Amino acid sequence: MLMLKNLKQLIFSVEMKKKKGERNNNSILLQASYELFIGLNVILWRKRHRLFSLISAVSGCLLLLLFAFSVFTPPPTATEHFLSHHLSAVKKTEVVESNFDMVFQVPASGGTLGRDLWSSSQSKFYYGCSNASKSFQSADMKTHPNRYLMIATSGGLNQQRTGIIDAVVVAYILNATLVIPKLDQHSYWKDTSGFAEIFNVDWFISSLSRDVEIIKELPRNEGKAWIPRSMRVPRKCNSKCYQIRVLPVLNKKHAVELTKFDYRLSNRLETDLQKLRCRVNYQALRFTDSILELGKILVERMRMKAKQFIALHLRFEPDMLAFSGCYYGGGEKERGELGALRKRWKTLHVSNPEKVRRHGRCPLTPEEVGLMLRALGFGSDVHIYVASGEVYRGEETLAPLKALFPNFHSKETIATKEELAPFSSFSGRMAALDYIVCDESDVFVANNNGNMARILAGRRRYFGHKPTIRPNAKKLYKLFLDRNNMTWDEFASKVRTYQIGFMGEPKEVKPGKGEFHENPDSCICQANGLKTPQEDDESSKERKEGAEVSDEQQQQQQQPLEEDPDWTDIFYLDKELPDVITKQEHPEVEGFFSD
């Protein structure tokens, strides 16, 4: 209205000027037209200015409203269900949920991959071989009188097992008689079992009689008890190390007890000593008849449920997660719970969860294990035996894995309480039952790189290279984080590629690399006159990819720790553990992470 009023005033002004001067009509008309043009422009400019001001005001209001919304609206909380945090986050946003439903759909079937999931394609070309050479001296020729070696093992069942194996070799190096080792009864597990309550003592002594003299207890010295000299050797001590550090004391005191004896012997020894290790591990160390009998029953019951089954060693205890410094998306609740437990180790650095996981030092969650297995080709109809301790948040944590593999079993579900009663109060004996089932399984899987996973990996290599799946955590971690941005087929293809070199096939790890109990290369021989797949040109590309991944695996095993000790590698360090691990207030800590 204001614009129309101004326009009328301009036209009226022009008409008046025309009437006043007829002589200068043209010039007046021209001047009036010019004034009209200028007036119109002014009016239009004012209009645009007011419009721009209006738009600016509205935009400012919208920006202020958006800022206020972002400030006063609480941020989206991390999902409480940390194991399925990707799925939970998806449920919070319809757009993302729709994308997940269309893109990342996990099939019930593992698909047809053109290969046998239940056996190693190259196992027929290799076999275990641990007989001594002709130059290997027998016990009756080399054992010195009045030279007795005692061993005090450390940790849980499988860490103790490595100590027992190495104790026999050390006794041979020192030409000493070995007294049956003492088992750690003060670790986290607080198991009071002695050697004879887990292992068959008589079989152990007789099967090694040609190699080392072994007795059940220290004899008396002229009617008096020997007083052994207690000492500790560095980790990874080799033959020369023992001869320099221990032998002089042994000659003087005649009886020496080596304490905290775990991983105190080098991985690199001469071949005959390595083969002796294998004879102890794979032949002499046999569980007691009662453990073997129930273990056999558990395996038979699994076979009744399915012709073939997977055994999963699942390490996901609250203490272990806290010590590892890993984070699984459980928000402030998880940080608070695990942070409180982590305070038990006062000398641990402040953890960097992202860095720890990026370096492949975090165990896979149950859900991630399930996705890995499905991607490798195992369908929902597969039966899984799960060997585990207390799982963080229990059934909530296990739910995603059970959804993927509903045929879910454990010793508690396939054995009666009465059958387990003689073992249930002793963690070492319960662990021995799991050990038997995992060893006899068609496929063994671990979500971690701990002691049981390593020692079973070596045993399964020795006895026919039965499939043993160890997660390539360093590669898989990125894939799990990004899985909602790809199709299932893309995800599965990448999983299969990353797992080349981590499936228990022969020659995955170069000879001499890694921990010997995991890779007993000196005790594995190749059949003569057979052409192996390594010599087949058609598989050269896959071999190359596998070799590259295997090299990365070896680098991970030998990579120095940059911050907190890695829970999977803490017992493979060449130097002593941090003081906090051996403090009296937490004497059980070291043993907790041993299995």
Side-chain angles (χ1 to χ4, degrees), residues 265-314:
L265 184 61
S266 173
N267 280 320
R268 296 172 178 81
L269 301 173
E270 59 182 89
T271 300
D272 264 328
L273 294 180
Q274 299 287 52
K275 288 182 177 291
L276 175 56
R277 264 177 162 162
C278 294
R279 290 197 294 279
V280 181
N281 194 3
Y282 307 132
Q283 298 172 22
L285 269 181
R286 179 183 291 182
F287 293 121
T288 60
D289 291 342
S290 60
I291 292 175
L292 288 175
E293 182 179 348
L294 184 54
K296 181 180 178 181
I297 291 173
L298 296 179
V299 173
E300 288 175 349
R301 289 177 184 172
M302 286 301 300
R303 295 284 179 215
M304 291 173 64
K305 296 179 181 297
K307 180 181 178 181
Q308 297 161 316
F309 71 93
I310 293 174
L312 166 62
H313 182 229
L314 185 65

Side-chain angles (χ1 to χ4, degrees), residues 79 94 125 224 227 332 357 383 456 475 480 508:
T79 171
E94 292 183 0
F125 301 112
K224 299 180 181 180
I227 301 178
E332 291 304 317
R357 192 164 174 83
H383 287 252
L456 271 174
K475 288 280 190 179
F480 288 128
E508 281 185 343

Side-chain angles (χ1 to χ4, degrees), residues 364-384:
L364 268 59
T365 69
E367 181 186 28
E368 290 169 345
V369 173
L371 291 173
M372 177 186 72
L373 289 174
R374 180 73 89 253
L376 291 174
F378 296 98
S380 60
D381 58 333
V382 169
H383 287 252
I384 293 184

Side-chain angles (χ1 to χ4, degrees), residues 166 170 173-174 233-234 236-248 258 261 263-266:
D166 291 346
V170 171
I173 292 172
L174 297 174
V233 295
K236 307 297 180 64
C237 196
N238 58 24
S239 299
K240 187 176 181 180
C241 169
Y242 278 99
Q243 290 167 353
I244 293 174
R245 290 174 177 265
V246 181
L247 188 56
L258 301 180
F261 197 78
Y263 303 101
R264 304 286 168 175
L265 184 61
S266 173

Side-chain angles (χ1 to χ4, degrees), residues 551-567:
D551 288 342
E552 180 179 342
Q553 180 186 27
Q554 295 157 21
Q555 292 172 5
Q556 290 180 28
Q557 292 171 344
Q558 299 178 357
Q559 184 178 5
L561 303 179
E562 298 180 7
E563 19 180 58
D564 296 349
D566 179 7
W567 69 271

Side-chain angles (χ1 to χ4, degrees), residues 40 86 130 133 151 249 252 273 307 328 331 350 366 437 455 457 486 497 521 525 528 547:
L40 287 172
H86 296 289
S130 57
S133 69
I151 296 293
V249 180
K252 182 178 180 180
L273 294 180
K307 180 181 178 181
Y328 292 96
V350 175
V437 181
I455 205 164
M486 65 184 76
T497 298
D521 57 276
C525 298
N528 293 326

Side-chain angles (χ1 to χ4, degrees), residues 50-189:
R50 291 191 184 96
L51 181 62
F52 178 76
S53 299
L54 179 62
I55 293 174
S56 299
V58 172
S59 300
C61 290
L62 289 174
L63 287 173
L64 287 173
L65 182 62
L66 182 61
F67 175 75
F69 180 79
S70 64
V71 170
F72 295 107
T73 300
T77 56
T79 171
E80 291 300 318
H81 191 177
F82 70 99
L83 291 175
S84 56
H85 64 280
H86 296 289
L87 297 178
S88 298
V90 167
K91 293 177 182 178
K92 293 179 184 297
T93 307
E94 292 183 0
V95 176
V96 180
E97 184 177 33
S98 176
N99 180 63
F100 180 87
D101 291 339
M102 291 188 298
V103 178
F104 194 82
Q105 291 185 321
V106 182
S109 170
T112 302
L113 303 179
R115 61 180 176 83
D116 187 358
L117 297 172
W118 301 99
S119 65
S120 168
S121 61
Q122 303 179 35
S123 60
K124 61 183 178 182
F125 301 112
Y126 300 90
Y127 60 96
C129 54
S130 57
N131 291 336
S133 69
K134 294 180 179 179
S135 61
F136 190 79
Q137 290 183 300
S138 60
D140 57 354
M141 294 177 59
K142 72 189 300 292
T143 304
H144 286 226
N146 295 331
R147 193 183 284 183
Y148 300 100
L149 179 66
M150 301 177 69
I151 296 293
T153 62
S154 181
L157 176 67
N158 293 289
Q159 188 172 335
Q160 291 175 354
R161 188 184 188 98
T162 60
I164 295 167
I165 295 166
D166 291 346
V168 175
V169 179
V170 171
Y172 184 90
I173 292 172
L174 297 174
N175 299 329
T177 296
L178 177 66
V179 180
I180 289 293
K182 296 178 182 178
L183 302 189
D184 184 358
Q185 298 179 341
H186 304 286
S187 67
Y188 175 90
W189 309 103

